[in-house]
Amino acid sequence: MYQEMKELSNGVEIPVLALGTWLIDNDKAADAVKFAVRMGYRHIDTAQAYGNERGVGEGIRACGVPREQIFVTSKVAAEYKTYEEAAASIDKTLADMGLDYLDMMIIHSPQPWDKVNQSEDRYVEGNRAAWRALEDAYKAGKLRAIGVSNFLQEDIESLWETAEIKPMVNQVLCHISNSPLELIGYCQKKGIVMEAYSPVAHGEALKIRAIADMAEKYEVTIPQLCIRFDIQLGMIVLPKTANPEHMKTNAAVDFVISDEDMEILKHLEKMKDYGEHSFFPVFGGKL
């Protein structure tokens, strides 16, 4: 899986399998990145909100693989909805990570996190302002690609109207029992590559009997089935782990789920909650 790529609308190639780093502490991030890169991973995903950009950058610089061979993504914090805030944050990310450029930077959310699931305001003008900062950083060579995250169709349409450079990716929550198929289809038709975070539903997929039964049928683990499912939806997948053994098994997904089983998995009953993690806005909670 390490070598499988997709091409973004500007011709930049992006590895399909990435290491997600959400909730990996800054002091553990460097080792996690080094383990992953030595194993074969060539795509690392972080964010300003994760508080671990410094550690991720350290891992990338110390991993022993040339910088140009690693695809590095970070995200402009959801709260930055002015040009000045977003532009300054991009420069700070580069400084914190100790890198001359990022392969991709995306807007983390169309709404500030404390407004998600609480407000009808989609921050149209704020997102347009943040997007202009991304466009300028892209033109300046600081970023090789730009995109968005957690954007719904309406958010993409409003940004699309004024964007000089169109979004290249949309990173969203997508896993078995909660797959935004309509949004995926919409974005892919517009040439936006889709990315899936929390492909194992932050561990909740491990508790669903139908998923476990399907994994048993293919003689794979539940996380492997979940990752393969997102890949077959045409998505880039970002499983998060600091465990080297999990990194290895997450990449061992060269089996194929049949069309019939994909249809079954696409239409499983939607997950009702995320257990102890339900408070996170990305899982429907409120801050």
Side-chain angles (χ1 to χ4, degrees), residues 194-232:
M194 294 298 286
E195 296 190 328
Y197 65 76
S198 297
V200 193
H202 214 61
E204 292 300 307
L206 300 171
K207 304 174 184 177
I208 298 176
R209 184 72 253 170
I211 299 176
D213 289 344
M214 191 70 79
E216 187 175 338
K217 173 181 176 178
Y218 285 90
E219 300 181 330
V220 298
T221 67
I222 291 173
Q224 286 171 328
L225 182 79
C226 291
I227 291 165
R228 185 69 207 181
F229 172 79
D230 281 339
I231 289 171
Q232 288 186 215

Side-chain angles (χ1 to χ4, degrees), residues 18-270:
L19 177 74
T21 63
W22 182 34
L23 300 180
I24 297 179
D25 292 341
N26 198 41
D27 60 352
K28 296 181 175 66
D31 283 342
V33 169
K34 286 186 282 188
F35 277 129
V37 172
R38 288 167 188 163
M39 203 170 289
Y41 282 79
R42 292 296 181 267
H43 182 178
I44 309 295
D45 180 275
T46 184
Q48 294 169 357
Y50 298 172
N52 62 13
E53 287 180 318
R54 192 177 301 277
V56 169
E58 179 187 335
I60 290 162
R61 297 194 312 273
C63 69
V65 171
R67 167 68 185 92
E68 63 272 14
Q69 293 181 21
I70 304 175
F71 195 100
V72 184
T73 299
S74 193
K75 308 174 189 74
V76 172
E79 293 69 32
Y80 296 152
K81 298 302 181 192
T82 69
Y83 178 94
E84 292 76 16
E85 287 174 328
S89 80
I90 295 166
D91 288 339
K92 185 175 187 301
T93 286
L94 289 168
D96 286 348
M97 297 188 78
L99 301 177
D100 295 329
Y101 67 93
L102 289 185
D103 296 276
M104 187 160 67
M105 196 90 176
I106 61 183
I107 298 174
H108 207 159
S109 168
Q111 299 173 295
W113 291 122
D114 63 356
K115 304 299 182 185
V116 174
N117 305 317
Q118 301 185 66
S119 171
E120 296 298 317
D121 187 350
R122 302 307 295 180
Y123 290 81
V124 170
E125 292 307 319
N127 288 316
R128 289 174 172 176
W131 188 253
R132 287 196 298 275
L134 284 174
E135 289 179 323
D136 285 351
Y138 175 81
K139 292 175 187 175
K142 298 174 183 178
L143 312 172
R144 296 178 64 227
I146 53 178
V148 296
S149 180
N150 298 299
F151 272 49
L152 303 178
Q153 182 172 333
E154 64 183 287
D155 304 315
I156 291 167
E157 288 176 349
S158 63
L159 190 62
W160 201 270
E161 289 176 8
T162 58
E164 178 186 348
I165 301 165
K166 306 305 184 188
M168 298 166 194
V169 305
N170 187 14
Q171 186 181 123
V172 300
L173 175 68
C174 180
H175 57 77
I176 299 170
S177 81
N178 190 358
S179 306
L181 300 177
E182 188 174 331
L183 178 62
I184 292 169
Y186 166 81
C187 288
Q188 288 175 341
K189 284 179 182 175
K190 293 184 82 70
I192 299 172
V193 171
M194 294 298 286
E195 296 190 328
Y197 65 76
S198 297
V200 193
H202 214 61
E204 292 300 307
L206 300 171
K207 304 174 184 177
I208 298 176
R209 184 72 253 170
I211 299 176
D213 289 344
M214 191 70 79
E216 187 175 338
K217 173 181 176 178
Y218 285 90
E219 300 181 330
V220 298
T221 67
I222 291 173
Q224 286 171 328
L225 182 79
C226 291
I227 291 165
R228 185 69 207 181
F229 172 79
D230 281 339
I231 289 171
Q232 288 186 215
L233 290 180
M235 306 185 80
I236 287 161
V237 191
L238 306 102
K240 185 276 293 185
T241 184
N243 183 314
E245 188 56 39
H246 292 169
M247 292 177 194
K248 183 177 180 180
T249 56
N250 286 347
V253 290
D254 55 355
F255 62 100
V256 176
I257 303 170
S258 72
D259 292 344
E260 294 77 13
D261 287 339
M262 280 295 292
E263 288 304 309
I264 292 170
L265 294 172
K266 283 178 187 177
H267 299 103
L268 287 186
E269 182 181 359
K270 186 174 180 180

